[in-house]
Amino acid sequence: MVAWLMLALLLHKAPQTTARATVKVTGVVGRAVSLGVDVPPGFQVRDAIWRYLAPTEELVATYFRGSAETLYQSRFYGRSQLHGNLTLEISPVELGDSGTFSALLVNTRGQTETRVLHLAVYEVVSRLTLQVFTSESSRSGSARVCEVFLTCVATGGTKVSYSWGRTDGEMLSMDKHSLFEAGLVLWAKLDPSDRQVSYTCTAANAVSRESATIAPWEHCQREAGSEDAVYDYRNILLIALPLSVLVLAVAVFGLLLSWKRSGKQRTKPLFDASEPDAASV
Ligand SMILES: *[C@@H]1O[C@H](CO)[C@@H](O)[C@H](O)[C@H]1NC(C)=O
């Protein structure tokens, strides 16, 4: 009881706290993530308190005189473990776990140390699809110049960024290339000297990277009628527009969910492991 009162005081007013720079930790959806603290030499830890600070404040784990406790009503209930070295392990980690943690350490003389960590959780990039769209005139067979739109979409993965390169190592010159939709779409003007050129799309985030390569020229001079593999460039609207709508819908849905969840959190002890993601492409 006395210890609890002491700690309640410490949580609000830590007189000898030494704050340090925030440590950044990266997690991958579905895997384990370890949040470690460095204890200064000679600092004999007696108690420790792990809290989740933002977006909502919750008590996650405590360590009092040699025994660890993680059964608090937090979003990490049932997924957290506090090791003897004060490392907090969360497994499996979810997208919504991204946020700020703090560890308050108390030594045998009552002095405190605070560690702040920021966890960013990502979903691995997967299911990359590369497509070529050519214009009607480019397919007439006589064209000396061919305009193509290449689209690159990873349906799995969060905070994905796209980049393009040519396999011949040349830079993408501005007069013959343009990027749209934050790199999802590349426009290129090809001439017969680009016959052999392939383009590589790389989709990457902080935890993974996927690439795909395509040779667009062979899509340029097809006979009209072989519609199976070649699309009219206007069809790009059929991809770009629904995609933008989808991204927006997912973002709105995610916002609604997190809003709903923050309302429920205080009364619900156990969390559904299959929480939908507030993902954005
Ligand atoms: C802490 O202990 C856990 C479990 O024994 C171990 O996996 C982890 O690597 C340790 N971390 C540090 C920083 O020593």
Side-chain angles (χ1 to χ4, degrees), residues 126-148:
S126 64
R127 303 188 298 278
L128 195 60
T129 310
L130 233 178
Q131 280 187 293
V132 183
F133 298 83
T134 58
S135 67
E136 200 74 51
S137 59
S138 298
R139 274 181 274 141
S140 64
S142 58
R144 313 236 1 114
V145 169
C146 176
E147 291 183 32
V148 293

Side-chain angles (χ1 to χ4, degrees), residues 96-248:
D97 293 343
S98 294
T100 307
F101 291 78
S102 91
L104 177 72
L105 312 176
V106 185
N107 75 2
T108 45
R109 292 164 59 203
Q111 293 167 322
T112 63
E113 287 274 342
T114 304
R115 298 288 178 270
V116 178
L117 298 91
H118 190 268
L119 173 66
V121 182
Y122 295 83
E123 188 183 88
V124 167
V125 174
S126 64
R127 303 188 298 278
L128 195 60
T129 310
L130 233 178
Q131 280 187 293
V132 183
F133 298 83
T134 58
S135 67
E136 200 74 51
S137 59
S138 298
R139 274 181 274 141
S140 64
S142 58
R144 313 236 1 114
V145 169
C146 176
E147 291 183 32
V148 293
F149 283 98
L150 309 180
T151 65
C152 182
V153 179
T155 45
T158 53
K159 299 205 176 111
V160 181
S161 61
Y162 297 88
S163 58
W164 295 86
R166 279 163 67 113
T167 47
D168 63 1
E170 264 184 52
M171 299 290 287
L172 303 185
S173 59
M174 295 303 282
D175 54 331
K176 290 172 77 182
H177 301 91
S178 291
L179 287 172
F180 302 98
E181 296 277 324
L184 259 79
V185 178
L186 172 74
W187 169 84
K189 198 158 100 184
L190 309 170
D191 58 47
S193 70
D194 296 315
R195 202 175 289 275
Q196 308 294 335
V197 172
S198 298
Y199 286 82
T200 298
C201 164
T202 303
N205 64 13
V207 297
S208 59
R209 158 183 300 268
E210 282 274 322
S211 289
T213 298
I214 205 161
W217 183 262
E218 63 189 59
H219 295 268
C220 285
Q221 291 170 338
R222 295 268 175 98
E223 286 166 53
S226 60
E227 295 293 314
D228 51 320
V230 184
Y231 308 88
D232 191 274
Y233 74 93
R234 277 166 295 207
N235 286 349
I236 200 156
L237 289 176
L238 296 179
I239 300 253
L241 276 180
L243 201 75
S244 320
V245 172
L246 183 77
V247 166
L248 196 73

